[in-house]
Amino acid sequence: MLEQGDVPRLSIIICTYNRAGLLSKTLDSLLGLEMLDEAEVIVVDNRSTDDTAFVVKRFMDKYENMIQMRYLLEPVQGLSAARNSGILAAKSTLIAFLDDDALPVRTWVSTIVNTMESKPAVMAMGGKVAPIFENGRPEWLIKPFEFPYTIMDLGNRIKEYPGKFHPCGANMAMRREVFNLSLFPLELGRKGESLLSGEETWLFGRIRKEGQSILYHPQMAVDHFVPASRLTENWIMKRYYSQGLSNALGSSGPMGTLLLWGKTGAKLLYIAVDSVLSAISGSQGRKLLNKCRLESVRGTLHMLRNRNRESATG
């Protein structure tokens, strides 16, 4: 157990909003982690209206001799605002984020700490995220849908994240210096029931532009709850539409907008071709995927049109 004034080797930030029942299970899962006594836990309550505050304070009182833990209330709605609040409060030079519905494996803390301390070139890391489906996996949930559902499995070998892949917000860690220039952008990320995202892509894109290493480690693993309410075609289409909005929000300046237009045109061409192929194959998942891709395009065009109107009106 850390003594007063000791600097923890890891700061674990758990942001939460109106999921007291799931949060309670996540907090209980921390108790079995290796090296938990060398970490601090910061729970950031993003204006919950359920029993979140009571659940956290009851846990803190019960395990005050086992775990160093703080409760913060962030009044600005939004996941980015909550994460930023946790970052500013963190004492360690290593910061990890865990979702309020994720259950880490026993080696989660030790894997992060030992890897980051032994590999100074690694600026950020993530690992496996395995789904816990409340009602079973739908037949249409094919491989391309896994990342939107925060499912991540790149194998059992430690390696750099390939291509456009990056750690999921449910299970990611980075050095504090990542945030020296900027915290998470408040215009991106979930806000209440909104499905806006893009703040993690923005963060890891910036790390890559600096030429820094982002490591995938299979032993940094969590199980992640997927509620039945999200396992519907309507929800995943809304998720893709919101991703389209996020893509447009994340682009800036004339060059960024021009590149986004180009990517959107290329995506429409790809959808047209793949729609023909999916019609031939009869795959329910591929047909839904192309409908979702069109929703993403619709979200992007919607945001770009609004931006043009705002520019025209000054």
Side-chain angles (χ1 to χ4, degrees):
M1 181 69 180
L2 294 168
E3 299 294 334
Q4 187 70 28
D6 287 348
V7 177
R9 295 172 73 182
L10 181 69
S11 294
I12 303 168
I13 298 173
I14 303 173
C15 300
T16 189
Y17 174 68
N18 279 351
R19 295 206 283 192
L22 290 169
L23 175 64
S24 180
K25 294 179 181 179
T26 294
L27 295 178
D28 286 341
S29 74
L30 299 178
L31 299 173
L33 299 184
E34 294 177 350
M35 293 178 59
L36 183 66
D37 59 340
E38 299 186 55
E40 67 168 349
V41 177
I42 302 170
V43 177
V44 185
D45 182 354
N46 198 202
R47 291 176 54 186
S48 296
T49 55
D50 61 1
D51 293 332
T52 291
F54 171 76
V55 165
V56 177
K57 289 174 181 176
R58 180 183 62 190
F59 183 88
M60 291 172 64
D61 290 342
K62 186 175 181 180
Y63 297 106
E64 61 180 344
N65 294 323
M66 291 180 58
I67 183 169
Q68 182 171 299
M69 187 169 171
R70 282 178 284 163
Y71 168 85
L72 302 179
L73 178 64
E74 173 49 59
V76 178
Q77 190 73 68
L79 180 54
S80 287
R83 283 175 171 165
N84 292 344
S85 180
I87 292 165
L88 294 174
K91 296 177 181 178
S92 177
T93 58
L94 301 179
I95 297 174
F97 293 91
L98 184 69
D99 268 8
D100 59 0
D101 55 0
L103 309 175
V105 299
R106 184 175 59 86
T107 57
W108 191 74
V109 172
S110 57
T111 297
I112 295 170
V113 171
N114 292 334
T115 301
M116 298 287 271
E117 290 185 349
S118 64
K119 298 180 183 293
V122 173
M123 191 58 59
M125 63 183 293
K128 289 185 178 183
V129 182
I132 305 173
F133 294 112
E134 184 175 19
N135 280 359
R137 180 171 182 146
E139 290 186 9
W140 51 259
L141 205 166
I142 57 178
K143 189 71 174 179
F145 283 132
E146 289 189 349
F147 195 66
Y149 276 107
T150 319
I151 301 170
M152 175 67 67
D153 188 346
L154 299 179
N156 296 319
R157 184 171 60 86
I158 301 171
K159 58 187 174 182
E160 292 280 331
Y161 276 87
K164 295 182 179 180
F165 285 102
H166 58 70
C168 298
N171 180 27
M172 62 183 184
M174 59 280 298
R175 300 186 190 277
R176 173 182 287 280
E177 60 194 89
V178 166
F179 303 104
N180 283 348
L181 293 179
S182 176
L183 297 172
F184 283 103
L186 296 181
E187 68 273 14
L188 297 175
R190 303 288 174 88
K191 293 181 176 66
E193 301 304 321
S194 164
L195 294 180
L196 283 175
S197 57
E199 78 284 8
E200 294 152 17
T201 300
W202 171 88
L203 172 72
F204 293 114
R206 197 182 67 171
I207 293 173
R208 281 187 166 128
K209 284 180 181 178
E210 295 293 324
Q212 304 287 357
S213 173
I214 305 174
L215 198 68
Y216 168 84
H217 200 306
Q219 293 179 9
M220 181 183 169
V222 304
D223 293 328
H224 186 243
F225 182 69
V226 185
S229 60
R230 295 187 180 184
L231 295 171
T232 67
E233 295 185 12
N234 285 337
W235 186 90
I236 192 61
M237 289 179 67
K238 182 180 178 182
R239 172 71 177 82
Y240 269 77
Y241 176 80
S242 299
Q243 183 61 55
L245 295 175
S246 303
N247 291 342
L249 281 169
S251 68
S252 59
M255 183 56 68
T257 301
L258 184 63
L259 287 172
L260 184 60
W261 276 110
K263 290 179 180 178
T264 303
K267 184 181 290 186
L268 281 170
L269 180 61
Y270 179 86
I271 293 169
V273 173
D274 198 64
S275 293
V276 174
L277 297 175
S278 63
I280 296 172
S281 70
S283 167
Q284 179 188 5
R286 283 184 67 183
K287 289 178 181 178
L288 177 59
L289 178 60
N290 283 317
K291 289 171 66 176
C292 288
R293 287 166 171 162
L294 283 173
E295 283 299 291
S296 175
V297 169
R298 190 169 72 89
T300 296
L301 295 178
H302 186 182
M303 185 60 68
L304 288 173
R305 283 198 300 269
N306 287 346
R307 184 183 296 173
N308 289 338
R309 290 195 192 102
E310 291 173 2
S311 298
T313 57

